[in-house]
Amino acid sequence: MYCVRKVTDDLYWVGANDRRLTLFENIHPIPRGVSYNSYLLLDEKTVLFDTVDWSAGRQFLENVEHVLDGRKLDYLLINHMEPDHGASIEEVLIRYPEAQVISTEKAFMLMHQFNFNVDGRMIQVAEGDTFSFGKHEVTFVSAPMVHWPEAMVTYDLTNGVLFAADAFGSFGSLDGRLFNDEVNFDRDWIDDARRYYTNIVGKYGPHVQALLKKASTVDIKMICPLHGPVWRNDFAYFIDKYDKWSRYEPEEKGVLIVYASMYGNMESAVNVLAAKLAERGMTNIAMYDVSKTHVSQLISETFRLSHIVLASVTYNLGIYPPMHNYLMDMKALNLQNRTVAIMEAGSWAPKSGSLMTEFMDEELKTMTVLNEQVSVLSSMNETSALEMDQMVEGILESMND
Ligand code: FEO
């Protein structure tokens, strides 16, 4: 059965939801699922904006057929070729043999690499080109690395709709409610939106900044992303988040404590630290066991907060492996501009503190590592308690900088 939503008078959401997928890109948990958004414009010509993941192809094709209501499909416009959107291209082209494909040179290269037969049907466009479908005229804006090199966004000059590709997307499936003002985004969606952005696009902050700059020159009336809700008001809220995330600026002053503990002694120590911080008035504290928390969640929280306490036991004379993995992910995603406090633990040769400090200094050069560090020899004692008091002071003082 078709399942569609009307977006404007002549534009329809014809995408699909996926609540069965456990891991997005086979790596990031999505307990709330994900939506693959596709849009169909009924102008003098009919235009399908992007497709969906193959797993949702059946629902998507039913939706397209229903909205076309017997009309032929004239154009398939592809903004982004990653298979969560591009996988159904070939099936659309088989079903609608008169459809021509509008996309970028790099996207056509990728279509050939994925063995899609688009020969003789390609209309290649580039930044600044315009195209008319009748009443609607669109222009194309390249969006390289948001989040693949071929990506573009399409702006409808007639009604101000921005087809934003991966930009302004969110993890989470749609429960019938399509628009941002039909949900409580700040309560129910922002964590998934942040986890989506930071883990999928987080590495490419300067490219997102470039796109935001271009977007600021046009009058946007609606943002249609390829995942999550469609935005039709309150753009400043989400653009401000994207601006902060892509500049690697924290959203909030607060302390993220990520700890690695084998037998509970480091866990006990960070509990003491958190209590001391709270005692001193710090109310924005988040604490995670690195062994039990998916790294995509840790990355998301690291983008959110200004201060990070890295608390790790020593393991094989190195950093505890899940903590090391988290640090490597921070590096891969280009994380910057945080204040970091280091706590180490070990029973005979604590090394994790010096190694984490070295990692920050050499691999994440824009981080500020506080001088106040805590070393726990097997378990907390008076010396480490004193060091912790100094660390608390250091964290709070640095918040006022
Ligand atoms: Fe949602 Fe980069 O694909």
Side-chain angles (χ1 to χ4, degrees):
M1 179 67 183
Y2 62 84
C3 178
V4 303
R5 286 284 314 262
K6 204 166 184 176
V7 180
T8 68
D9 282 351
D10 51 7
L11 182 70
Y12 293 79
W13 178 88
V14 291
N17 289 293
D18 188 346
R19 296 181 188 83
R20 291 194 170 194
L21 188 68
T22 306
L23 299 173
F24 187 80
E25 293 183 345
N26 216 8
I27 185 168
H28 307 294
I30 43 168
R32 293 178 61 243
V34 68
S35 74
Y36 310 113
N37 297 343
S38 169
Y39 305 90
L40 182 52
L41 178 69
L42 301 180
D43 200 347
E44 288 169 26
K45 300 290 185 184
T46 57
V47 191
L48 184 59
F49 293 84
D50 293 291
T51 74
V52 302
D53 189 84
W54 185 239
S55 62
R58 188 187 175 102
Q59 176 70 69
F60 162 68
L61 291 164
E62 274 190 63
N63 294 347
V64 172
E65 187 180 354
H66 168 71
V67 174
L68 281 173
D69 193 23
R71 290 183 67 179
K72 67 184 171 75
L73 180 67
D74 295 302
Y75 298 111
L76 173 58
L77 194 159
I78 297 297
N79 285 306
H80 184 25
M81 262 306 293
E82 191 168 8
D84 55 332
H85 312 292
S88 301
I89 289 174
E90 191 160 48
E91 186 63 25
V92 169
L93 295 181
I94 290 168
R95 289 180 181 229
Y96 301 99
E98 292 176 67
Q100 291 182 287
V101 185
I102 301 171
S103 201
T104 61
E105 182 182 9
K106 281 194 177 119
F108 285 124
M109 181 195 78
L110 290 170
M111 285 178 218
H112 284 114
Q113 286 180 193
F114 282 113
N115 289 320
F116 296 162
N117 184 6
V118 291
D119 291 343
R121 306 173 74 171
M122 295 180 284
I123 300 174
Q124 189 175 307
V125 294
E127 168 122 349
D129 290 353
T130 57
F131 206 100
S132 176
F133 303 121
K135 195 174 74 175
H136 292 265
E137 186 180 22
V138 299
T139 187
F140 308 102
V141 180
S142 68
M145 304 320 296
V146 188
H147 105 263
W148 276 18
E150 91 300 353
M152 67 172 181
V153 301
T154 300
Y155 177 66
D156 189 328
L157 294 158
T158 309
N159 62 0
V161 172
L162 178 69
F163 297 92
D166 270 347
F168 303 108
S170 305
F171 286 148
S173 54
L174 300 163
D175 55 4
R177 295 173 292 177
L178 176 64
F179 297 100
N180 68 297
D181 55 14
E182 295 177 326
V183 301
N184 187 334
F185 197 89
D186 197 51
R187 185 190 67 194
D188 298 334
W189 281 84
I190 188 61
D191 287 343
D192 265 330
R194 184 186 302 106
R195 201 161 58 80
Y196 166 81
Y197 172 86
T198 57
N199 287 280
I200 306 298
V201 196
K203 181 180 180 66
Y204 306 112
H207 296 86
V208 174
Q209 278 288 310
L211 181 60
L212 289 176
K213 201 171 165 190
K214 290 180 192 175
S216 69
T217 63
V218 295
D219 185 16
I220 296 171
K221 301 285 190 207
M222 188 174 286
I223 300 174
C224 292
L226 288 176
H227 301 287
V230 167
W231 286 76
R232 61 182 175 188
N233 53 31
D234 206 10
F235 305 125
Y237 165 85
F238 211 21
I239 288 173
D240 178 61
K241 298 287 185 195
Y242 260 69
D243 184 44
K244 284 199 170 74
W245 296 334
S246 55
R247 284 188 294 111
Y248 303 98
E249 295 297 330
E251 285 168 70
E252 301 161 19
K253 281 192 175 179
V255 183
L256 169 67
I257 302 171
V258 179
Y259 68 90
S261 185
M262 291 164 65
Y263 297 106
N265 290 295
M266 182 59 102
E267 184 176 23
S268 169
V270 291
N271 276 322
V272 175
L273 173 72
K276 285 177 185 287
L277 284 164
E279 196 77 39
R280 293 291 306 278
M282 170 49 59
T283 53
N284 197 2
I285 302 170
M287 186 153 61
Y288 296 95
D289 182 334
V290 75
S291 300
K292 288 183 64 178
T293 312
H294 194 270
V295 70
S296 66
Q297 174 70 8
L298 300 176
I299 289 294
S300 181
E301 288 290 79
T302 311
F303 269 76
R304 182 171 70 90
L305 293 167
S306 60
H307 287 61
I308 316 164
V309 177
L310 300 173
S312 180
V313 291
T314 303
Y315 196 83
N316 286 332
L317 293 178
I319 302 168
Y320 193 63
M323 179 65 79
H324 189 248
N325 181 51
Y326 165 48
L327 300 184
M328 291 295 286
D329 226 22
M330 268 197 231
K331 180 187 168 193
L333 292 167
N334 201 17
L335 238 154
Q336 302 171 27
N337 305 326
R338 296 299 183 275
T339 302
V340 177
I342 303 275
M343 290 176 60
E344 68 171 4
S347 286
W348 66 92
K351 284 280 292 173
S352 52
S354 57
L355 291 171
M356 288 191 290
T357 304
E358 197 177 297
F359 192 98
M360 289 292 133
D361 289 345
E362 290 178 9
E363 309 288 352
L364 290 162
K365 293 189 173 70
T366 64
M367 302 297 201
T368 302
V369 180
L370 294 178
N371 291 327
E372 297 86 353
Q373 301 200 353
V374 175
S375 188
V376 176
L377 264 178
S378 296
S379 65
M380 284 265 300
N381 58 22
E382 283 182 12
T383 306
S384 44
L386 190 62
E387 289 172 347
M388 188 177 285
D389 287 337
Q390 289 164 349
M391 175 180 279
V392 168
E393 290 303 322
I395 291 171
L396 296 175
E397 271 175 29
S398 67
M399 286 217 171
N400 298 322
D401 290 348

